[in-house]
Amino acid sequence: MILELAEAGGCPRDLVGGKAANLAEMTAAGFPVPEGFCVTTAAYRQVLADGEGELASVPPDDVGKLASRLRAHVLTAPIPEWLETAIVEAYERLSQDGPVAVRSSSTAEDLPDASFAGQYDTFLGVQGAGEVLAAVRRCWASLWSDRAVRYRATHDTDRAPAIAVIVQRLVDAECAGVLYTANPVSGKRSEVIVDAAPGLGEAVVSGAVTPDHYRLGAETLEGPEDGCLTPSRLSALAAVGRKLEKRFGAPQDVEWAFDGEGELWLTQSRHITTLFPVPESEGELRAYWSVNVYQGISRPFTPMGASMIRERQRGMAGYMTALGFSDEITDVDGWLYWDITDGVRSPAKRPKMAAFAESLAAPSGRIVEQLGRDRRFPSVPSGHDAPPKKRRRRWERMVLAWLWPDRARAKVVRDAERRIAAFAGPVEATAEERLSFVESVRRDVCRIEADLPRDATTAGATGGQLAGRLLHGYVDESEVADVFRAVPHNPTTEMDLALWWAATAIRRDDEAFRLLLETASDELAAKQLAGTLPEVIQQGVAAFLTEYGCRATSEIDFGVPRWADDPEPVFAMLSNLLRAEGEEQDAKTRFEHAAAAAEARIVELTRRLPVTELHRAVLARFLLRRSRRLRGLREFPKFCLMRGFAALRTQLLVVGEELVRAERLERAGDVMFLDLAEVREVLGSRDFRATVARRRELWERESRRPRVPSVVLSDGTAPALETDPGGGLIGLAAAAGMATGRARVIHDPDGARIEPGEILVAATTDPGWTPLFLTAAALVTETGGMISHGTTVAREHGIPAVVGVPGATAVIATGQVITVDGSAGTIRFGEEPR
């Protein structure tokens, strides 16, 4: 029930809480921590008695109502006499009836991803046995304060936590405050930040005073000359901060105090939870580009997904290294990076690297160019590196594709079907045979995009470029882009239309229509898998999943469940589409009108040339029409990759089921938190359950990060571009047109709803988001480029899009009226919806 801090080292967090566990470790390591003792969670549970059992039986939605009852319970329930005596005796030994600090130490506190700073109560200057007992009770009660309950719910931490209480000798502080061993705002690991004020540190932590603010770099010191800290004390703080950082293995947020004798005391140390993970690097400053952002996902990769994406990217290694990217990908807690320092420093490579990055994930390219002007990245000597050689265009094959586009496309499809057929794998086989099959075809699956014939796809892109040159001087580049709306044979657009047709069929059946609108998506998904839905829903969704069940949100991560595994997102999207009424919302009609408008645009643009340039006009018209027939192939290789992923996932999940039966994994999906070599070890009788649990916890923790920087430096900073000084936002003009409407900020498309006319605002998108485009009036994203999947589909749906807008999801609020100009790349605020 009662432990001296010096005795609490090594005790489990669920006994002493996060704060006490850290202080005990600091004490054992010799850091200057004030003496004290811990009233453990066992004491809290003793007093809570029946209240904890009552909590366990209450549904999650009622926890908020229960909190006030639990607060009252711990404030009034009798403390056993023997426990009261033990607390009082420990207090008297500690301070001889002098002042102490009484501080909460919850099991859900000072976590790597959630500090809980200020959520639980602290009482300073507490004196006398009665006051100490009262303060202990109030600390217990703070576990169930409204703010703490909301914080735990937001961070998805334990909904049945416990709390310990620390009683420490009070430091008679002359000056106190907070030390950050890395800059918590910029993320810069080489800077130390100190906030300080005379007196107790609680004034700084609570925000009751404006503290002296110091910033210490490797050779610099910024701060007030007349502040309460001398340079020697700042140096002492920085030195102890580095030692704590080394001890805990991560940058630290430290509370400290200097007493009247000038002695330094530490009263708390915890992880700085806001810093984004970056690769460790020694020596010169290095730059990294996020593979997650490049792939359009804002969550970490699962371990199996990371291993698959590495194999996929090895197929591009020759081209990527020629641009200045590292040949291998670095993994930090599921966040994948290319080292781009080589390209940033090379005047020859930088423009091509920047163009490549900007086309896929703006504003990454502009940041690369910006870093190239940074003196911290000195240029390599001229001629040190040669730029990548241009790929030789096979003009004769492209001409054949332009002449017979349907034949060229059919050839690509036949080749893809032949390859995908080889990925199906055995129907009846042992777990070892299934794993061996996956190992044997893994490379072919991961590199199918590069292995498919490229001539027809290249012809689709090149034809548009050549037509633009022929029309140059008479037509703007953005006008040429209008021609490529609603192109045929794009599997992502076809997927969206297939879902719309399923919704249309359901709408005709009144009973099915009401059922789908009135039933939760997870319940519908369970009924679908059980085969108990009305026929129009059951068959319509089954047909959709047969064709597109291989897809999902963040689908490039092999470890993510596909819609065929869990169709709940499909039902959420159907519900969204069923709420869109009116002819102007009919996706099929809109697509047909957009295709007709594109054909009319071809005629209108080519007629601008004078009669003397008739030959150019005829050739441009030919190229634009044939390019439209081939442009849909741009999304086809990714769709083939997803079909291959789905086939291998099927085999690995069967292996996972076998390992569950052998009691070496908890659930079949745990194989996605291993790589193939580790799955082989599990089949060899090694138990990976503890490893999987740690990795799953890490993945879930990292998945809660609010945003992902596209470019980070090895010192932790994330270079950014300035926003429009005129008050609006500027991004990349990705799909022409203008729309005004109310914004809808969405962080996860699964279960999200877009009302017709609303503007979708997201950090990033991939094909799993595109059904939302059917009802959205426009698209705004923080990343993305002209050839990224989301913007390609936005153009084909005919909605304006501005991408690469830093901080869009934070600056724009749901319900706010905005105007998106997809031709100019701007977003303005405050205009009325049109």
Side-chain angles (χ1 to χ4, degrees):
M1 298 285 178
I2 308 291
L3 285 173
E4 298 294 328
L5 272 183
E7 301 171 343
C11 287
R13 181 179 289 267
D14 63 2
L15 179 66
V16 297
K19 188 177 286 128
N22 289 354
L23 287 173
E25 183 172 344
M26 292 161 65
T27 300
F31 288 96
V33 176
E35 291 178 283
F37 63 90
C38 177
V39 182
T40 69
T41 59
Y44 163 78
R45 290 191 170 103
Q46 176 74 36
V47 174
L48 189 64
D50 295 338
E52 187 180 36
E54 186 179 1
L55 172 68
S57 64
V58 173
D61 292 344
D62 293 337
V63 170
K65 296 178 182 177
L66 185 63
S68 60
R69 197 152 69 243
L70 286 171
R71 280 200 305 272
H73 178 81
V74 297
L75 286 171
T76 59
I79 300 177
E81 184 177 349
W82 58 266
L83 180 56
E84 266 196 15
T85 300
I87 295 172
V88 170
E89 289 179 350
Y91 161 65
E92 291 174 345
R93 286 195 304 271
L94 175 67
S95 66
Q96 290 80 47
D97 208 35
V100 293
V102 182
R103 314 173 73 200
S104 303
S105 179
S106 170
T107 53
E109 183 173 15
D110 292 353
L111 303 174
D113 66 325
S115 68
F116 281 80
Q119 301 305 312
Y120 305 118
D121 285 342
T122 289
F123 303 97
L124 303 180
V126 180
Q127 191 164 358
E131 290 299 317
V132 168
L133 288 170
V136 168
R137 278 186 181 275
R138 290 163 68 189
C139 285
W140 286 338
S142 70
L143 184 68
W144 299 106
S145 68
D146 291 339
R147 67 173 184 266
V149 170
R150 285 195 300 268
Y151 191 97
R152 287 197 297 271
T154 300
H155 289 79
D156 195 27
T157 56
D158 188 2
R159 57 176 288 263
I163 193 166
V165 180
I166 306 164
V167 181
Q168 284 180 287
R169 180 177 59 81
L170 184 69
V171 177
D172 185 13
E174 178 185 277
C175 181
V178 181
L179 158 74
Y180 299 97
T181 65
N183 190 320
V185 177
S186 69
K188 194 170 186 178
R189 266 63 164 184
S190 59
E191 284 186 346
V192 172
I193 302 297
V194 178
D195 281 351
L200 298 175
E202 183 65 18
V204 175
V205 175
S206 67
V209 300
T210 301
D212 299 330
H213 183 74
Y214 302 88
R215 185 168 65 179
L216 291 77
E219 299 178 355
T220 60
L221 169 59
E222 298 178 15
E225 294 182 1
D226 58 348
C228 66
L229 288 177
T230 63
S232 62
R233 287 188 174 183
L234 283 167
S235 296
L237 282 169
V240 78
R242 293 304 180 203
K243 290 178 182 177
L244 284 167
E245 185 175 87
K246 184 176 181 181
R247 177 74 187 186
F248 288 107
Q252 296 290 294
D253 165 358
V254 185
E255 294 180 21
W256 55 269
F258 282 103
D259 64 19
E261 303 299 321
E263 189 170 357
L264 173 63
W265 295 95
L266 306 178
T267 57
Q268 184 166 297
S269 188
R270 61 192 175 208
H271 285 47
I272 302 175
T273 60
T274 56
L275 299 178
F276 199 86
V278 296
E280 292 184 4
S281 177
E282 296 182 1
E284 66 178 10
L285 188 67
R286 305 201 69 79
Y288 302 93
W289 189 38
S290 169
V291 177
N292 301 68
V293 170
Y294 156 57
Q295 290 295 346
I297 65 172
S298 55
R299 63 181 67 172
F301 278 88
T302 59
M304 185 68 77
S307 71
M308 292 293 185
I309 203 71
R310 280 200 189 92
E311 183 62 51
R312 176 181 184 261
Q313 299 308 128
R314 288 187 187 111
M316 302 168 57
Y319 178 70
M320 298 294 283
T321 54
L323 289 175
F325 293 88
S326 56
D327 55 357
E328 284 291 335
I329 291 171
T330 301
D331 184 344
V332 185
D333 296 343
W335 303 107
L336 307 185
Y337 297 97
W338 269 302
D339 187 326
I340 60 172
T341 312
D342 181 32
V344 167
R345 294 183 60 191
S346 169
K349 295 179 178 179
R350 189 187 314 126
K352 294 184 179 295
M353 170 186 276
F356 178 83
E358 190 74 6
S359 69
L360 289 161
S364 302
R366 283 168 282 166
I367 293 175
V368 167
E369 292 283 14
Q370 183 175 285
L371 290 175
R373 299 188 294 271
D374 191 322
R375 287 181 295 178
R376 295 174 299 171
F377 291 96
S379 296
V380 294
S382 179
H384 177 76
D385 285 311
K389 295 180 180 179
K390 291 184 178 181
R391 293 177 178 174
R392 186 173 68 85
R393 290 180 175 174
R394 300 177 178 179
W395 291 103
E396 66 282 0
R397 295 189 180 181
M398 282 196 288
V399 169
L400 292 175
W402 290 327
L403 290 172
W404 295 284
D406 293 337
R407 185 184 301 176
R409 186 181 63 82
K411 178 182 177 183
V412 177
V413 172
R414 283 196 305 271
D415 185 86
E417 294 299 332
R418 176 182 60 81
R419 294 174 186 274
I420 292 170
F423 303 153
V427 176
E428 299 291 336
T430 65
E432 286 81 1
E433 290 169 340
R434 293 182 189 277
L435 179 59
S436 295
F437 170 77
V438 171
E439 290 168 336
S440 70
V441 300
R442 170 197 179 196
R443 182 184 182 280
D444 292 336
V445 170
C446 291
R447 303 192 186 185
I448 188 172
E449 296 160 291
D451 292 341
L452 288 174
R454 301 179 186 176
D455 299 319
T457 306
T458 304
T462 304
Q465 295 169 0
L466 292 177
R469 293 177 189 174
L470 291 168
L471 298 172
H472 182 69
Y474 301 94
V475 172
D476 291 336
E477 185 177 344
S478 61
E479 292 179 302
V480 176
D482 290 345
V483 169
F484 296 107
R485 289 185 176 185
V487 299
H489 311 303
N490 182 322
T492 305
T493 305
E494 290 174 341
M495 174 188 76
D496 297 340
L497 292 173
L499 194 64
W500 179 269
W501 292 329
T504 301
I506 293 169
R507 188 189 297 277
R508 297 192 192 104
D509 186 311
D510 291 341
E511 181 183 353
F513 180 70
R514 287 195 304 272
L515 176 67
L516 205 147
L517 288 183
E518 296 171 1
T519 309
S521 298
D522 58 345
E523 185 179 341
L524 290 167
K527 289 177 179 293
Q528 172 74 29
L529 295 174
T532 58
L533 286 172
E535 185 176 354
V536 67
I537 301 177
Q538 188 76 39
Q539 292 188 357
V541 173
F544 178 82
L545 293 176
T546 298
E547 189 72 21
Y548 301 108
C550 60
R551 312 215 78 160
T553 306
S554 302
E555 64 186 13
I556 195 66
D557 182 354
F558 182 92
V560 170
R562 310 289 113 172
W563 287 337
D565 303 324
D566 177 13
E568 180 181 348
V570 174
F571 284 101
M573 291 184 291
L574 278 172
S575 177
N576 185 57
L577 295 179
L578 286 174
R579 288 177 168 85
E581 298 180 353
E583 186 177 348
E584 70 280 0
Q585 293 298 324
D586 186 282
K588 182 175 181 293
T589 301
R590 287 169 56 187
F591 190 81
E592 291 172 348
H593 288 172
E599 171 59 27
R601 191 67 159 158
I602 292 174
V603 174
E604 189 265 322
L605 293 179
T606 54
R607 281 180 175 172
R608 293 185 189 178
L609 275 68
V611 175
T612 55
E613 301 288 350
L614 181 60
H615 60 292
R616 289 173 58 187
V618 171
L619 182 56
R621 189 176 299 183
F622 170 81
L623 288 171
L624 289 174
R625 284 174 173 162
R626 297 310 170 95
S627 293
R628 274 186 54 80
R629 302 272 286 276
L630 296 169
R631 277 292 179 104
L633 284 173
R634 194 261 172 209
E635 294 285 300
F636 183 71
K638 172 81 177 294
F639 182 52
C640 294
L641 177 66
M642 292 307 103
R643 292 175 64 187
F645 273 10
L648 296 198
R649 277 181 54 86
T650 298
Q651 296 295 326
L652 283 178
L653 289 172
V654 175
V655 174
E657 290 167 0
E658 178 65 29
L659 294 172
V660 170
R661 287 192 289 271
E663 298 184 348
R664 293 178 212 146
L665 292 179
E666 294 293 338
R667 43 191 163 179
D670 284 351
V671 292
M672 301 305 165
F673 288 87
L674 304 169
D675 60 28
L676 291 181
E678 290 169 333
V679 176
R680 175 68 66 185
E681 289 185 57
V682 182
L683 283 174
S685 299
R686 184 175 172 185
D687 191 331
F688 266 87
R689 282 178 290 188
T691 299
V692 166
R694 287 194 302 272
R695 290 178 181 176
R696 186 181 287 276
E697 180 182 7
L698 175 65
W699 183 83
E700 291 174 350
R701 184 189 86 196
E702 290 299 317
S703 294
R704 293 194 289 270
R705 290 194 179 274
R707 58 180 47 85
V708 187
S710 59
V711 177
V712 294
L713 306 184
S714 57
D715 66 2
T717 57
L721 299 176
E722 295 182 358
T723 57
D724 178 17
L729 300 175
I730 292 179
L732 178 69
M738 183 180 294
T740 299
R742 299 195 181 279
R744 174 75 66 173
V745 179
I746 293 179
H747 300 287
D748 186 343
D750 294 347
R753 182 189 301 175
I754 289 281
E755 298 293 340
E758 289 184 329
I759 294 171
L760 171 60
V761 181
T764 187
T765 61
D766 73 349
W769 288 73
T770 59
L772 295 175
F773 295 8
L774 291 170
T775 51
L779 172 69
V780 176
T781 63
E782 295 180 345
T783 67
M786 289 300 295
I787 63 171
S788 59
H789 297 283
T791 51
T792 298
V793 178
R795 286 193 294 271
E796 295 186 6
H797 282 309
I799 63 173
V802 178
V803 302
V805 185
T809 58
V811 177
I812 302 172
T814 293
Q816 190 172 17
V817 176
I818 61 175
T819 295
V820 177
D821 188 335
S823 301
T826 60
I827 300 157
R828 299 193 304 276
F829 295 92
E831 299 185 20
E832 287 303 313
R834 297 177 183 177

